[in-house]
Amino acid sequence: MMFFVLAITALFVGISVYFFFRAEKLQRFVLTQKRDSAATKKENKGLVDSMALIAGRYEEFAKNRLVQLKERAQIQQNDQLIQYCELISPLINNYTIIFRECLKGKGRLKGIAQKCFDNHDPKDFKQFVSFLMKGEKNMKRLWASNNLNGYICLVEALLVLHEKDHTPTMPANELKRRQVLLKEAANNS
């Protein structure tokens, strides 16, 4: 009988030691996972902050270009270009909002763009879509992609579309003066 009690005690001690070391191993694994999780969260926060910064900078650039395009249209008294600028302004003025929504996943561009246009004037969204459908095949494809990359490229294409047509030409003497300054700067460096 004593042998039986000793054997059961030894078995329980053996099992206890096994589970103790197993628990220690699992505890180290959990700690490692917690550290990895914290590092991943920190990295994700950095990436999110970077994306917000990029969205802000892209918005700033796009808005500045739109303002320049509007100013050029007003100086040239080009009513068609003024209407074009008004048509695309909700898409550009809400750049960061649309950028963030598109980051959440594919299929969000059209929905959030419509909300932005509706806040401006509900009829404008239909006019904008109609303009895109009548336009170049490239712009239709960018709009149809319905994602962040399509949005960024679409804004760029919309701004470039009329920037080239309405860029004032530089007088020949000013062009020559700038070329000389560039050459001098290149030689000095």
Side-chain angles (χ1 to χ4, degrees):
M1 182 76 158
M2 186 72 150
F3 179 71
F4 182 70
V5 172
L6 195 57
I8 291 180
T9 305
L11 181 65
F12 281 127
V13 169
I15 292 173
S16 296
V17 169
Y18 170 76
F19 281 121
F20 173 77
F21 287 119
R22 181 81 174 142
E24 285 293 318
K25 185 178 178 183
L26 287 174
Q27 190 174 14
R28 280 185 296 228
F29 179 74
V30 167
L31 287 175
T32 304
Q33 291 297 357
K34 282 183 180 180
R35 271 189 244 119
D36 290 347
S37 176
T40 302
K41 284 180 183 178
K42 186 176 179 180
E43 186 178 331
N44 284 345
K45 184 182 180 334
L47 290 173
V48 167
D49 292 345
S50 297
M51 290 303 288
L53 179 67
I54 289 169
R57 292 294 176 212
Y58 271 48
E59 178 179 33
E60 188 179 312
F61 296 146
K63 282 182 177 180
N64 285 337
R65 290 169 66 189
L66 180 63
V67 166
Q68 290 173 356
L69 199 59
K70 283 180 180 179
E71 288 173 355
R72 236 179 272 140
Q74 290 172 348
I75 290 170
Q76 296 172 354
Q77 297 178 347
N78 186 339
D79 291 334
Q80 185 180 6
L81 185 57
I82 291 171
Q83 289 174 350
Y84 174 78
C85 291
E86 290 302 316
L87 182 64
I88 66 171
S89 64
L91 194 70
I92 293 172
N93 288 333
N94 295 294
Y95 195 99
T96 303
I97 295 168
I98 297 171
F99 191 99
R100 285 183 189 154
E101 282 298 311
C102 289
L103 271 177
K104 292 179 182 176
K106 187 176 172 135
R108 295 185 178 259
L109 171 60
K110 292 178 182 177
I112 191 65
Q114 184 171 6
K115 286 180 185 176
C116 292
F117 275 95
D118 287 347
N119 288 337
H120 186 261
D121 186 1
K123 296 179 286 182
D124 287 348
F125 184 71
K126 290 179 183 175
Q127 289 175 337
F128 177 73
V129 172
S130 174
F131 166 77
L132 288 177
M133 294 305 123
K134 292 176 187 173
E136 297 176 18
K137 189 166 53 170
N138 184 34
M139 281 201 225
K140 290 179 198 175
R141 190 173 59 245
L142 293 172
W143 178 250
S145 70
N146 205 17
N147 62 24
L148 178 60
N149 187 45
Y151 173 65
I152 293 170
C153 294
L154 179 64
V155 168
E156 181 67 22
L158 289 170
L159 290 170
V160 168
L161 182 66
H162 287 285
E163 280 180 340
K164 291 179 181 177
D165 297 341
H166 299 283
T167 303
T169 56
M170 190 180 302
N173 60 350
E174 178 65 18
L175 180 62
K176 196 170 220 168
R177 185 182 75 76
R178 288 188 182 188
Q179 287 174 341
V180 169
L181 288 174
L182 285 173
K183 284 181 185 178
E184 287 176 2
N187 291 335
N188 290 337
S189 14

